[in-house]
Amino acid sequence: MRMTVPTPLGDIAVRCLAPGPGARIASGSAPALLLLHANPGDGRDYDAVLPALADRYRTFVVDWPGYGGSTAPEPARVTPEGLVGVAERVIDALAEEHGVRELAVLGNSVGGYVACRLAEGTRAASLTSLVLIDPAGFTRHTALTRWFCREVMGRPARARRLVVPLARAYLGRLGTPSARETYARVRELPHHERRLAVHCALWRGLADPGFGLADPAALGLPILLLWGSRDPVVPAFLDGRRARRALPAGTSSVRLPTAHEPYNERPGLFLRHVLPFLANPRAVTARGVRPPSRPRSR
């Protein structure tokens, strides 16, 4: 089943999966799980782990504007902060159309950044936990990183030549059908002007002065942080270390022998960490966390 959520950045496609008759829990009592993907990509990037997740939870998979089944009439307007607004609209639609009042959010890369921003904002009360997979938002801003985001990956003429080799690096061994299918979709990106424009706009947004988290240490909910030790985009020894220091003391942090998308590269290993956390987040996290700070206005 699919639903479409109108937003200022486009009509957003959301795949809706409910536990089936043979599921491990009854669909009526299943908690909800929202999946947010990386840039570039779409919700199909999670296909290797979706069966196990949907067997236990009402699972909702978002395609960001311009990707998958979602539209983006004005690609240049799609920014990381804009994705936060998109996710808020989706959460509101899930409450109205599916009766979802509480949900966990699982996000990779820019999707992980959006998950953190949701936990800082006005929808924080509806979130039960976060699973952050190599999230954006913890890179130290320098003249070099801003130049790379704006002038290299943020410019279609340059990004067109780099997006495929970069994906080949961050997808790791391509040892699963899901990883190979994700890579095949990325290989088509240079030939789709609108999607390439969205990809570049999101990269440029990473260098915007307003990009960043208000106070990660004040996020007031259980967090599982997963980081690929071979991630070439946001390296574990730099960004991963900064994230572990910045997030609440109770965050459960795991380093995996993968690149940027462990759910694609090592789905079984990924699920061995994620499923116990989702089943009982507060039992997995080590200590209590501080209450959330006041929602940040943008």
Side-chain angles (χ1 to χ4, degrees):
M1 175 183 173
R2 292 181 181 271
M3 63 185 291
T4 300
V5 181
T7 78
L9 296 184
D11 292 336
I12 303 305
V14 182
R15 197 169 10 154
C16 311
L17 301 95
R24 296 167 186 256
I25 55 176
S27 60
S29 63
L33 177 62
L34 182 66
L35 305 187
L36 306 176
H37 65 83
N39 172 47
D42 61 46
R44 291 173 292 180
D45 296 354
Y46 288 110
D47 278 358
V49 297
L50 268 182
L53 296 173
D55 190 44
R56 295 163 173 81
Y57 305 98
R58 290 181 292 168
T59 303
F60 302 92
V61 189
V62 172
D63 288 341
W64 289 132
Y67 292 132
S70 298
T71 66
E74 300 178 70
R77 292 184 57 208
V78 181
T79 65
E81 295 307 317
L83 297 187
V84 178
V86 165
E88 290 175 341
R89 296 287 185 105
V90 169
I91 290 174
D92 293 345
L94 293 180
E96 182 177 343
E97 299 186 29
H98 291 270
V100 173
R101 304 301 173 193
E102 294 185 329
L103 74 168
V105 182
L106 184 153
N108 174 220
S109 199
V110 72
Y113 172 76
V114 173
C116 290
R117 290 280 289 110
L118 290 172
E120 288 184 337
T122 57
R123 307 310 189 278
S126 65
L127 305 188
T128 60
S129 61
L130 302 181
V131 178
L132 307 178
I133 311 156
D134 299 58
F138 296 96
T139 300
R140 181 171 173 265
H141 286 299
T142 66
L144 179 61
T145 60
R146 290 192 176 95
W147 171 80
F148 182 77
C149 291
R150 289 175 180 159
E151 303 301 329
V152 180
M153 299 308 293
R155 301 298 174 192
R158 294 171 177 166
R160 180 177 281 110
R161 298 192 296 270
L162 295 174
V163 64
V164 174
L166 183 60
R168 182 62 188 86
Y170 69 65
L171 287 171
R173 297 178 298 123
L174 298 184
T176 65
S178 175
R180 291 190 291 271
E181 289 161 10
T182 297
Y183 181 58
R185 289 191 289 271
V186 176
R187 291 184 65 181
E188 295 299 316
L189 183 66
H191 309 295
H192 291 273
E193 295 297 328
R194 188 172 295 274
R195 290 182 180 178
L196 181 63
V198 168
H199 166 271
C200 292
L202 285 168
W203 270 97
R204 291 195 300 272
L206 300 177
D208 286 347
F211 175 77
L213 302 171
D215 184 4
L219 297 178
L221 74 175
I223 300 171
L224 172 62
L225 176 67
L226 300 175
W227 216 289
S229 60
R230 294 184 281 102
D231 190 336
V233 180
V234 281
F237 69 92
L238 291 176
D239 301 75
R241 187 176 299 171
R242 286 173 58 85
R244 289 194 299 274
R245 289 199 299 258
L247 289 167
T251 297
S252 179
S253 178
V254 180
R255 186 179 291 194
L256 299 175
T258 66
H260 192 59
E261 297 188 3
Y263 49 87
N264 250 329
E265 190 176 351
R266 298 282 300 274
L269 178 62
F270 174 83
L271 289 169
R272 285 201 292 274
H273 290 284
V274 170
L275 291 179
F277 173 80
L278 291 175
N280 196 343
R282 295 199 179 276
V284 172
T285 51
R287 297 189 292 271
V289 293
R290 290 155 47 190
S293 58
R294 293 175 59 189
R296 185 175 62 162
S297 61
R298 283 272 177 177

